[in-house]
C-alpha cells in the first residue's frame, strides 16, 4: 500500500508539474498576444496621427495657395511698383534732390531727421 501511495503522489506531482508548465505556457502566449495587440493598437494610433498631420499640412498649403495672388497678378504688382519707383526717382531728379539722400533719410526715425534741413 505504501508503494501505491508513493506512486500516486509522484503521479500527482508529475501532473502538477505538467499543469504548471501548461499554465505558464498559456500565460506566455496570452501575454505575447496582449503585447501584439498593444503594438497593433499603437501602430493604428500613430497611423491616425500621421494621417491627421498630413491632412492638416495639405489644408494649410491649400489656404496659402488660395490667398496667394496668381502669377500674372504678382507680375502686375511688381511692374506697378517698379514703375512707381521709377517715376518717384524721376520726380526727385527733376526737383534736384539726390535719391541717395532720400534713401539715407528713410532709414532713420523721425528724431534723427531733425539734423537735415529739408
Amino acid at each position: 500500500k505504501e508503494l501505491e501511495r508513493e506512486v500516486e503522489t509522484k503521479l500527482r506531482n508529475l501532473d502538477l508539474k505538467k499543469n504548471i508548465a501548461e499554465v505558464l505556457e498559456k500565460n506566455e502566449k496570452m501575454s505575447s498576444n496582449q503585447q501584439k495587440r498593444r503594438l497593433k493598437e499603437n501602430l493604428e494610433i500613430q497611423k491616425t496621427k500621421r494621417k491627421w498631420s498630413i491632412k492638416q499640412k495639405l489644408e494649410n498649403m491649400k489656404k496659402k495657395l488660395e490667398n496667394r495672388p496668381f502669377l500674372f497678378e504678382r507680375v502686375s504688382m511688381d511692374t506697378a511698383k517698379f514703375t512707381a519707383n521709377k517715376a518717384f526717382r524721376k520726380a526727385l531728379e527733376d526737383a534736384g534732390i539726390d535719391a541717395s539722400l532720400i534713401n539715407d533719410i528713410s532709414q532713420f526715425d523721425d528724431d534723427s531727421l531733425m539734423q537735415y534741413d529739408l
Side-chain angles (χ1 to χ4, degrees), residues 101-109 113:
L101 176 67
I102 299 299
N103 287 337
D104 291 344
I105 291 173
S106 67
Q107 293 176 1
F108 296 108
D109 56 2
L113 289 179

Side-chain angles (χ1 to χ4, degrees), residues 2 6 8-9 18 26 30 32-34 37 41-42 52 68 72 76 81 99 103 116:
E2 280 183 38
E6 255 185 70
E8 279 182 31
T9 55
K18 284 182 185 177
K26 285 180 184 178
M30 282 180 31
S32 69
N33 286 337
Q34 287 174 343
R37 193 184 81 242
E41 288 173 357
N42 286 339
W52 184 82
R68 189 174 179 181
F72 68 89
S76 296
K81 186 177 178 181
N103 287 337
Y116 292 101

